[in-house]
Amino acid sequence: MEKLLVPTKVFMGNDVIKENSREFQIGKKAFIVTGKSSGEKSGALKDVCDVLFSLGIEYSIFDKVNNNPSIEEVYEGGMEAKKENADFIIGIGGGSPLDASKAIAVYAKNPVGDDFSLYDIYNDNFKNPPLPMIAVPTTAGTGSETTQYSILTLHKEKTKKSFASKSVFYKKAFLDGKYNLNIPLFIARNTYVDALCHLIEGYTNKKSTPDTDEVAEKGLAVMGKFKENMLSGEFTREDCTELLYGSMLAGTVIAHTGTTIVHSMGYPLTYYKNIPHGRANGMLLYEYMKRTYEQLPEKINKVLELLGYTSVLSLSEFLSTVLPGDEKFDLEEIKEWTQTTVKAKNATVCPFTADYDTELEIFKKSLEL
Ligand code: NAP
Ligand code: ZN
């Protein structure tokens, strides 16, 4: 029986890229995928380019990834990687560029044609294996560097939808707090809450095992140390490296368990209201934890203990402080979203029955309707 699968080799520490430069020798031509600014602002793009230059490895840069990337834009990236004859990918950025890289790696080797359509990426049955990939995360939240998921915006279905394939696990990941140290505070907070949701949804998931629970508890203990920093906005480089570590552990948990309804219900908040992924999840977390407490009181008590809260309510007060927002919602639109969210497979691994009425109630209470 497969207990834990962690195929990504993770390197961590100050100057991790320079110190392990030979690890980048996995091909002759790199296709670097990053956001419009994150690669540059984090300093990671320069460090990667310096190392590739010193190794004599050619590269080209695709720095166009939007937040919540669409399937059309990642296909464009795939075609560019193919045109460039790249034989490996380096993803630099938050979850958006890291997820985009996975799809680009698939499309570069599997262009749309007679036997492969744009949407076949969701079928995990690729004729040609995707290009190998290296990750450099610049946010501490998604853990995409150790998951087999890539979440794409699918305008056709008016939602975000993830594809999963073991073939898109990153080969290597490089974590250095230098890259998330100067991030705007609201992004640090949103992404922190995303990692908390991964840990909590993974820990309380029907697919959790004693092994995934051990990783989740470790991740919760790591993230719990940074509550005060999230309030004050003060971090050292070492803090930021540890946050990346906690986020990576959270990614490892959901690689095995998946997420639950906090994530599937968060997608319409992002799709229709442009609410960042982490904040969208955070807005729904309190109502999820309250209901989960009725089924799994010991687990929720352990979460609170490891994160340093006395009650679910005190965690919710923290969330309200770090995730301010003033969007308005309308009952009719929420009813429509619920018709879709209730069909997500995440509902089947939720610790309580997540039917239409329950999800609608969670939306109403979370969004103050
Ligand atoms: P993101 O969408 O990647 O980035 C949010 C913002 O942060 C962007 O404006 C980005 O700039 C900026 N940014 C990133 N790093 C920065 C840095 N070091 N300094 C300054 N600005 C920086 O946000 P994210 O929360 O990390 O990722 C969210 C995406 O990941 C969503 O699409 C979500 O669905 C997905 N996700 C994936 C998984 C998985 O398992 N694969 C899990 C959870 C979430 P740029 O626009 O310039 O990049
Ligand atoms: Zn997430």
Side-chain angles (χ1 to χ4, degrees):
M1 184 184 126
E2 190 174 281
K3 280 170 76 74
L4 273 182
L5 174 73
V6 190
T8 309
K9 202 168 163 187
V10 179
F11 298 83
M12 186 171 100
N14 284 354
D15 302 319
V16 70
I17 289 182
K18 212 165 88 191
E19 294 293 322
N20 299 281
S21 56
R22 293 226 180 97
E23 296 291 338
F24 283 76
Q25 277 173 321
I26 66 166
K28 293 193 181 71
K29 171 116 192 226
F31 190 68
I32 301 175
V33 177
T34 188
K36 293 189 176 108
S37 69
S38 46
E40 225 172 280
K41 280 188 188 155
S42 64
L45 181 60
K46 181 177 184 309
D47 289 354
V48 165
C49 292
D50 286 351
V51 159
L52 295 176
F53 181 76
S54 72
L55 294 168
I57 298 174
E58 279 185 61
Y59 60 86
S60 61
I61 301 173
F62 183 78
D63 56 0
K64 295 190 211 164
V65 178
N66 288 301
N67 293 356
N68 307 301
S70 69
I71 196 162
E72 290 81 12
E73 73 177 274
V74 294
Y75 186 69
E76 186 197 323
M79 290 308 92
E80 205 158 314
K82 185 172 181 295
K83 195 178 89 202
E84 293 286 342
N85 282 320
D87 57 2
F88 71 111
I89 306 256
I90 303 176
I92 302 175
S96 296
L98 294 193
D99 279 9
S101 297
K102 295 175 185 174
I104 288 172
V106 173
Y107 285 131
K109 299 288 284 180
N110 298 278
V112 168
D114 294 342
D115 55 355
F116 194 74
S117 87
L118 192 62
Y119 305 103
D120 280 336
I121 199 158
Y122 286 102
N123 297 334
D124 188 17
N125 182 22
F126 314 127
K127 194 160 138 207
N128 303 307
L131 293 175
M133 292 174 286
I134 289 176
V136 184
T138 67
T139 63
T142 71
S144 176
E145 66 277 14
T146 52
T147 73
Q148 70 280 44
Y149 312 123
S150 166
I151 298 144
L152 303 174
T153 294
L154 202 55
H155 292 298
K156 190 172 79 129
E157 293 183 19
K158 289 195 165 37
T159 187
K160 295 186 67 181
K161 191 167 170 182
S162 66
F163 78 87
S165 170
K166 284 184 184 165
S167 66
V168 297
F169 269 118
Y170 278 97
K171 299 280 174 256
K172 301 175 189 184
F174 292 85
L175 316 185
D176 182 342
K178 172 182 173 186
Y179 304 137
N180 54 324
L181 180 59
N182 296 314
I183 203 162
L185 183 58
F186 78 97
I187 299 177
R189 288 171 164 177
N190 289 344
T191 49
Y192 176 76
V193 172
D194 187 25
L196 295 190
C197 290
H198 297 162
L199 290 163
I200 295 168
E201 290 173 73
Y203 192 53
T204 55
N205 199 292
K206 279 195 180 155
K207 283 168 82 179
S208 65
T209 67
D211 296 299
T212 62
D213 283 353
E214 220 170 288
V215 183
E217 285 178 12
K218 174 77 187 162
L220 287 162
V222 169
M223 295 316 245
K225 287 196 248 171
F226 296 101
K227 182 169 106 185
E228 293 306 322
N229 307 66
M230 285 296 154
L231 293 169
S232 70
E234 284 164 26
F235 303 92
T236 65
R237 180 175 181 174
E238 285 67 31
D239 293 337
C240 289
T241 303
E242 224 180 325
L243 282 163
L244 288 170
Y245 176 57
S247 159
M248 182 277 292
L249 292 175
T252 304
V253 172
I254 58 164
H256 294 83
T257 61
T259 51
T260 69
I261 60 166
V262 172
H263 266 68
S264 46
M265 292 176 66
Y267 293 152
L269 297 177
T270 300
Y271 188 84
Y272 289 102
K273 299 285 179 180
N274 210 18
I275 297 176
H277 175 72
R279 180 153 77 83
N281 295 332
M283 289 164 71
L284 301 159
L285 187 59
Y286 174 60
E287 292 297 326
Y288 172 81
M289 286 181 75
K290 257 190 358 189
R291 284 161 182 77
T292 302
Y293 189 84
E294 288 162 23
Q295 307 299 322
L296 302 169
E298 281 152 30
K299 279 202 160 175
I300 293 296
N301 282 334
K302 189 75 185 168
V303 167
L304 296 172
E305 178 200 320
L306 291 167
L307 290 178
Y309 298 93
T310 50
S311 63
V312 179
L313 188 63
S314 63
L315 171 56
S316 142
E317 283 160 6
F318 168 81
L319 293 173
S320 308
T321 308
V322 298
L323 304 174
D326 57 5
E327 294 84 4
K328 296 277 173 283
F329 302 91
D330 162 291
L331 186 57
E332 287 315 304
E333 70 182 342
I334 284 168
K335 283 184 179 166
E336 214 171 289
W337 299 349
T338 313
Q339 303 278 7
T340 306
T341 60
V342 81
K343 291 185 200 132
K345 62 180 184 308
N346 302 42
T348 62
V349 291
C350 185
F352 51 86
T353 306
D355 55 15
Y356 177 86
D357 289 342
T358 309
E359 290 202 7
L360 184 62
E361 193 61 17
I362 292 177
F363 267 136
K364 279 165 68 180
K365 290 240 163 75
S366 304
L367 308 179
E368 292 172 19
L369 274 162

